[in-house]
Amino acid sequence: MNTPPSPPGAEQTDGSSVRIGALVPLTRPGWVEAGQHLLAGLELAVREVNDAGGIIGRPLELLVRDTAADPQRAAAAVDELARLGVAALAGEYHSVVARAAAARADALGLPFLCSSAVLDALTEQPTEWVARLAPAQSRGWQVYADFLLGAGHSRIALAAQPSVYWASGTRILRDYLAPRGGTVIELDMSALTPTAVCDELVDHRATALLLLVGHPEPAVPIVKSVRRDQRLAEIMIGAPAGQPEFAEWATLLGDDGAVIPFLRYLPERLGPLGARVETALRERLAEAPSFVAFEGYDTVAVLADMLRSHGSDRARIAESWPRVTVEGTRGQIRFSRTPGISVWQWAGTPIQVVDRDPAQPDRFRMLHTS
């Protein structure tokens, strides 16, 4: 592995804290609620590490930077955190932002454990410096496509905004569905109003509409328009990117936000560790924790284990990805090389398709598992 020279302060030997940099979207246009859940998981795990004696007697310290869904801001934060001597980076929710952060981390020789971003091409070239907990988009969205086919949907419309992430999702769905008899209809949301979407769905005789768009705008207005159009009473609305996971979705949409299947990365049942962490996260967030909060916790659990075993030398941390075996909240975490994925990948992430129960919108119903 090519090891760039460590900047001053990269290796700490004075008994001070061991630092991890955390990238989190905490202001708009970032998905703030996702960022808050991610940070809650990161902070809970840091507190527990320190309560248990820290990293061989040294406290673990989290240096948090708000990315606000801005790739340039994230790259600048990586530069700053590297100068401040962090041993590793954690976090980020937005795929396009995580891609910018991963590129800088790779260039600087700074280990980065990405918590939540799923874009397959997290880096342009294979790298030893970056690993990921969330499943690659191709894996998760193929599970979602299987769910659609199993539910009898063959004419599937995609309401999509321009972005690398949505374009990647469109390609995955088209490549997977077309050979299996599915027709994918692309609706360009840079050119259509929510009302015009309804007309397109009728014209194309679509049986399902997938929201490949931002939240709350324009996802919420699209859902409201479709729900109020009597011509579309039978259409299924879906959200593979997980917009309905967070409480804000139910608050903004009420009953209209139920029965919209989405991907989440939790096991069918949490084990003892997961159940204990769920209770602690619920107390910290004052609401049910999303899968993103568990991703945050697991990120620190993995990095803390690596720091205990290998110290805070960046190159030694990066070299140890393939030797990780950590019990996380959602199963045993190991990293491997996956064909077509440029980073070290946890291949065992549990994947579900769930929706909100119309009889009880704060409850989730399991529809399909990987």
Side-chain angles (χ1 to χ4, degrees), residues 22-251:
L23 304 173
V24 190
L26 293 173
T27 54
R28 298 284 185 194
W31 195 342
V32 174
E33 196 172 7
Q36 290 167 341
H37 279 236
L38 180 57
L39 184 58
L42 293 165
E43 289 180 337
L44 174 64
V46 168
R47 190 187 76 189
E48 292 188 359
V49 167
N50 287 333
D51 287 348
I55 306 299
I56 317 176
R58 296 167 64 188
L60 186 62
E61 182 183 358
L62 202 63
L63 301 185
V64 180
R65 296 295 181 269
D66 173 21
T67 61
D70 182 337
Q72 290 178 311
R73 185 164 167 171
V78 174
D79 288 343
E80 181 204 0
L81 290 164
R83 287 194 302 271
L84 291 172
V86 299
L89 290 174
E92 195 45 53
Y93 177 79
H94 297 285
S95 279
V96 175
V97 179
R99 190 175 64 155
R104 287 305 297 154
D106 181 46
L108 293 170
L110 180 57
F112 174 29
L113 179 49
C114 182
S115 304
S116 297
V118 300
L119 197 66
D120 280 34
L122 206 55
T123 55
E124 292 297 325
Q125 302 296 328
T127 175
E128 301 295 321
W129 294 98
V130 183
R132 170 168 53 196
L133 286 177
Q137 188 180 18
S138 54
R139 179 169 170 245
W141 286 43
Q142 285 176 12
V143 170
Y144 196 90
D146 278 333
F147 159 73
L148 291 173
L149 293 170
H153 295 289
S154 60
R155 295 187 64 77
I156 298 151
L158 312 179
Q161 289 179 297
S163 93
V164 171
Y165 175 62
W166 300 125
S168 170
T170 297
R171 187 170 58 252
I172 291 163
L173 292 168
R174 184 182 294 286
D175 289 351
Y176 193 78
L177 290 167
R180 293 164 177 81
T183 299
V184 173
I185 302 137
E186 293 181 51
L187 305 179
D188 180 2
M189 291 313 302
S190 64
L192 293 172
T193 64
T195 304
V197 167
C198 296
D199 295 333
E200 292 284 335
L201 295 173
V202 173
D203 290 346
H204 287 286
R205 295 177 289 107
T207 65
L209 168 66
L210 304 189
L211 302 171
L212 275 57
V213 294
H215 167 78
E217 298 287 336
V220 168
I222 293 171
V223 172
K224 287 181 175 178
S225 265
V226 173
R227 292 292 200 223
R228 280 155 181 66
D229 194 317
Q230 293 183 348
R231 300 172 298 171
L232 301 171
E234 300 301 315
I235 201 163
M236 186 206 89
I237 305 175
Q243 294 94 327
E245 169 75 11
F246 298 96
E248 184 186 28
W249 178 268
T251 302

